[in-house]
Amino acid sequence: MSVAETGTSDAVRYEVNDAGVAVITLNRPERLNSWGADISAGIYAKFDRAEADPTVRVIVLTGTGRGFCAGAYMGEMASLGKSISGDTDVSKIVGERHPHFLTTLRKPVIAAINGACVGIGLTHALMCDVRFASAGAKFATAFPRRGLIGEYGITWILPRLAGWGAAADLLLSGRTFLAEEAFQLGLVKEVVEPENLLTRALQYAEDLARNCSPTSMAVIKRQLYGDATDAVTDVSDRAVTLMHESMVRPDLLEGITAFFEKRPPNFPPLAASRPEGPT
């Protein structure tokens, strides 16, 4: 890694490597990186930094130790439970944004799920664009087993990834399942031995960073999530406009030239503002 913003004592670490991949690491291993105010306070700033940095083309989210994110920090949940009233503010734990903010980023977000991935940790992982997991990593929604409901968009994303029946099972039962089942359900792209997880996730991320147009990836992300609930005719019509826009960008000429010259492409970075086009 070539750039490090934070020290190892901070709740969220940030590094950028020479390939243009930012690695954001949850760093509370003593509690399996469970989600609390310290993590939520740091993670948004790190994602905002990666999103704004033109040298960053892909983002990897992972955790230290044995957990990716083992749900909400129960110490803070217990304090919240003791003070339950009509004006209970759960945002004190969740933070200023819901997990679906990851889908609004212009840059691909790759999750390297190194261990326990539960509750709000699972919701964040599912809102990433692609997921890799350590062999044996434990997953769970857990909500009904804590007297809670499907939170912050998980009932939107989980059926789209795993199908309605599997989502109903996982959400209603709150049962624990392993990375291997998550792979079978389509929730993760690959299951990797723990010692190779970050290396494999970085390999994938670096391939995107080196060989894919940042502008194309930004538009495709917007299409993926924006088109999810629209009629296919509307989606197709928007795609025609977006295709015409892509054909006048320098990225197209560079991609074709690099193909014929048998060399890696040298795509320009993202513009400072979001790519224009239908929303």
Side-chain angles (χ1 to χ4, degrees):
M1 296 291 176
S2 60
V3 178
E5 182 191 63
T6 60
T8 56
S9 63
D10 294 315
V12 183
R13 290 161 38 191
Y14 179 93
E15 298 172 288
V16 180
N17 70 15
D18 294 334
V21 177
V23 179
I24 296 174
T25 307
L26 306 185
N27 189 41
R28 284 293 181 259
E30 69 279 4
R31 62 173 202 245
L32 298 180
N33 299 314
S34 54
W35 190 272
D38 53 350
I39 284 179
S40 67
I43 197 168
Y44 306 123
K46 304 302 186 293
F47 273 108
D48 287 347
R49 175 173 175 144
E51 178 81 343
D53 186 347
T55 69
V56 171
R57 299 191 171 207
V58 183
I59 304 166
V60 171
L61 176 64
T62 192
T64 54
R66 297 182 298 110
F68 175 77
C69 177
Y73 181 36
M74 296 307 292
E76 292 184 0
M77 285 292 287
S79 299
L80 182 65
K82 291 177 182 178
S83 62
I84 286 177
S85 64
D87 60 352
T88 297
D89 186 5
V90 295
S91 67
K92 292 178 180 178
I93 294 176
V94 176
E96 63 191 45
R97 304 178 201 174
H98 293 184
H100 68 78
F101 88 91
L102 293 171
T103 70
T104 71
L105 300 177
R106 296 185 295 164
K107 300 174 182 182
V109 183
I110 314 302
I113 302 168
N114 54 297
C117 184
V118 179
I120 195 169
L122 177 59
T123 306
H124 277 87
L126 296 180
M127 294 294 181
C128 293
D129 303 305
V130 180
R131 288 154 295 279
F132 295 80
S134 289
K138 294 181 178 180
F139 294 71
T141 65
F143 306 124
R145 298 183 183 233
R146 305 289 183 270
L148 296 170
I149 52 83
E151 64 183 10
Y152 303 111
I154 195 170
T155 52
W156 182 89
I157 191 67
L158 186 54
R160 284 167 168 77
L161 295 174
W164 193 273
D169 162 40
L170 298 177
L171 286 165
L172 292 172
S173 71
R175 66 180 177 83
T176 297
F177 58 104
L178 300 181
E180 291 73 14
E181 183 178 356
F183 171 75
Q184 293 173 347
L185 294 173
L187 298 182
V188 301
K189 171 178 165 48
E190 294 177 20
V191 176
V192 184
E193 289 304 314
E195 63 272 18
N196 298 325
L197 175 68
L198 189 56
T199 298
R200 176 65 185 112
L202 283 171
Q203 180 186 48
Y204 180 88
E206 289 171 4
D207 176 60
L208 270 59
R210 291 190 172 108
N211 297 301
C212 296
S213 160
T215 301
S216 293
M217 292 191 292
V219 173
I220 288 169
K221 272 198 69 167
R222 197 171 79 226
Q223 288 179 284
L224 274 170
Y225 298 107
D227 293 348
T229 58
D230 282 352
V232 67
T233 51
D234 295 333
V235 170
S236 184
D237 287 343
R238 279 201 302 270
V240 170
T241 302
L242 293 170
M243 179 62 74
H244 284 306
E245 292 175 356
S246 71
M247 293 180 74
V248 299
R249 293 193 190 103
D251 303 59
L252 178 63
L253 178 60
E254 173 58 18
I256 293 172
T257 303
F259 174 79
F260 281 111
E261 293 181 355
K262 301 187 186 320
R263 61 169 174 80
N266 184 23
F267 291 118
L270 277 171
S273 60
R274 293 177 181 271
E276 295 182 0
T279 57

